Amino acid sequence: MARYEVYVTYKQGIFDPPGATAERALANLGYEGIQSVKIGKYIQIEADAGLETVREMCERLLANPVIEDYRIVTEGEA
Amino acid sequence: MARYEVYVTYKQGIFDPPGATAERALANLGYEGIQSVKIGKYIQIEADAGLETVREMCERLLANPVIEDYRIVTEGEA
């Protein structure tokens, strides 16, 4: 059983609605000096699957390759 | 300007709807041997703010401390 962590983020230049909302909300709460907030997904997978299979899961389901980048980190055996 | 990464995950024992949906969808796509999929948030912040302030932002807006845990990693100066 292998463990993977996947980080999904919007591609450079693609609008990030949850990040923009959080930026505005933090400013409304009185926080100053915020340059940027980006919100992506943090996915933890435990599976009998190799890295190539996890990459395929990302392409097919977990990320939207048109607008998102993803990075897979192998965390070793569970 | 400091950079932070925040990882927001459901607390142990709290139902994770996006993770459960992804698990089922991956099984429907034919992937076998999946033990668990958990989906949380991956937040990147650039701000003139200290760690304590970022922790407060998490408590007040970025995470729901009732059902979620969060972990803040300081990434250094931007």
Side-chain angles (χ1 to χ4, degrees), chain A residues 9-65:
Chain A
T9 50
Y10 286 98
K11 281 185 196 288
Q12 191 82 30
I14 299 288
F15 182 59
D16 169 357
T21 303
E23 262 180 44
R24 207 173 46 236
L26 288 170
N28 288 345
L29 285 172
Y31 294 103
E32 293 173 0
I34 293 172
Q35 179 74 25
S36 85
V37 179
K38 295 177 189 172
I39 301 189
K41 280 181 281 187
Y42 170 55
I43 307 176
Q44 296 164 289
I45 301 172
E46 283 183 27
D48 273 323
L51 182 57
E52 262 319 303
T53 303
V54 174
R55 200 185 311 274
E56 196 185 278
M57 291 176 189
C58 290
E59 292 284 335
R60 293 181 69 188
L61 184 82
L62 300 174
N64 177 350

Side-chain angles (χ1 to χ4, degrees), chain B:
Chain B
M1 191 68 62
R3 295 178 56 208
Y4 300 92
E5 292 187 347
V6 181
Y7 304 87
V8 181
T9 51
Y10 286 98
K11 281 183 195 290
Q12 190 82 30
I14 300 287
F15 182 58
D16 170 357
T21 303
E23 262 180 44
R24 206 173 48 236
L26 288 169
N28 288 344
L29 284 172
Y31 294 102
E32 293 173 359
I34 294 172
Q35 179 75 25
S36 84
V37 179
K38 294 177 189 172
I39 300 188
K41 278 181 282 185
Y42 170 54
I43 307 175
Q44 296 164 290
I45 301 172
E46 283 184 27
D48 272 323
L51 182 57
E52 261 319 305
T53 304
V54 174
R55 201 186 311 276
E56 197 186 277
M57 292 176 189
C58 290
E59 292 283 335
R60 293 182 69 190
L61 183 82
L62 300 174
N64 177 350
V66 177
I67 58 169
E68 291 172 328
D69 288 324
Y70 59 87
R71 180 161 55 88
I72 303 170
V73 177
T74 307
E75 289 290 305
E77 300 300 306

